[in-house]
Amino acid sequence: MSDLKIVYHPHPALRWKSKDVTRIDAQLKEWIGQMFDLMYEARGIGLAANQVALPYRLFVINPTGDRDDTEMEQVFINPQITKRNGSEEGEEGCLSLPELYGPVTRAEKIVVEAFDLSGEEFAMELTGIHSRVVQHESDHLDGVMFTDRVTDKVKTGLSPLLEDLEQQMAHQQDKGDLPDEDAMIAELKRLEAERT
Ligand code: CO
């Protein structure tokens, strides 16, 4: 398989409800390495598998966004948010929605359980930006974008930018630089079947 790329709205991978990872092997580790690279290149702090058109429940984060701060790198495989407390509004963006930002209300404190790259289960209590990024990335695995969680008024303000992205994708499909939607969906189904 060729190198992964970040996909943008309205790629169907971003609306995919992904299935659990069933095995952690060399291929999965290779993809995760590429996901960290793409995340840093795009100056992000989190990247979900859906955003590189992989239909599996995993994401990577580094809340500092600093490539040299490898201690802050974390991989979440088959994550589940088991507790949510309080609520807090904060500005969010998304590498699959370039130039779009908006206020999103999230739980203030969460407990997340997941598996790491060695297949060990772990649980963490998170607050602040760490809590927000995990909630944002977990949403991606269910095909939910932050723009689904903004107020109608904010959404109206963002709609011209969403339409621009839709036009850009249509244009790339017309030129043959991107496959059409049916082919994108067929590829997601193929990848899903390959690892379930
Ligand atoms: Co995102």
Side-chain angles (χ1 to χ4, degrees):
M1 179 167 171
S2 55
D3 285 350
L4 301 176
K5 286 192 190 78
I6 293 178
V7 300
Y8 304 102
H9 170 80
H11 192 292
L14 298 171
R15 291 303 184 186
W16 205 261
K17 191 163 166 36
S18 293
K19 297 260 166 60
D20 273 346
V21 171
T22 53
R23 63 177 189 276
I24 300 167
D25 56 12
Q27 173 67 89
L28 200 79
K29 289 177 185 174
E30 157 65 24
W31 280 333
I32 287 167
Q34 286 190 42
M35 285 171 65
F36 274 114
D37 285 342
L38 290 167
M39 180 186 85
Y40 292 128
E41 278 164 28
R43 302 185 161 277
I45 58 172
L47 188 68
N50 296 54
Q51 295 180 274
V52 291
L54 292 176
Y56 312 122
R57 296 188 84 81
L58 71 97
F59 59 81
V60 302
I61 67 166
N62 181 337
T64 69
D66 180 355
R67 187 191 284 270
D68 297 324
D69 201 351
T70 50
E71 274 190 14
M72 291 300 285
E73 288 185 350
Q74 210 168 10
V75 180
F76 291 75
I77 296 171
N78 301 345
Q80 284 199 318
I81 296 173
T82 55
K83 275 188 197 156
R84 298 171 192 261
N85 281 106
S87 83
E88 197 165 56
E89 191 183 85
E91 188 89 340
E92 293 191 17
C94 180
L95 296 182
S96 294
L97 295 167
E99 323 274 316
L100 276 78
Y101 299 92
V104 182
T105 300
R106 303 271 186 194
E108 189 183 345
K109 194 197 277 186
I110 61 166
V111 174
V112 60
E113 296 176 9
F115 293 86
D116 66 18
L117 258 188
S118 56
E120 293 289 321
E121 199 168 9
F122 64 91
M124 295 178 86
E125 188 177 273
L126 301 173
T127 55
I129 186 74
H130 213 145
S131 166
R132 180 169 297 277
V133 67
V134 164
Q135 291 175 75
H136 176 116
E137 301 312 328
S138 294
D139 268 356
H140 275 302
L141 308 183
D142 290 321
V144 175
M145 305 289 283
F146 88 82
T147 45
D148 301 331
R149 297 197 182 278
V150 298
T151 62
D152 287 348
K153 193 176 164 198
V154 171
K155 180 92 186 224
T156 303
L158 292 175
S159 62
L161 293 164
L162 289 166
E163 280 166 30
D164 280 353
L165 289 171
E166 285 154 22
Q167 279 174 12
Q168 281 174 37
M169 195 169 103
H171 182 63
Q172 285 180 291
Q173 287 170 321
D174 286 347
K175 283 197 304 177
D177 292 344
L178 279 179
D180 66 25
E181 180 161 315
D182 287 348
M184 287 173 172
I185 290 171
E187 177 63 4
L188 288 163
K189 286 183 175 161
R190 189 189 70 76
L191 287 164
E192 189 176 84
E194 206 175 80
R195 302 183 70 90
T196 46

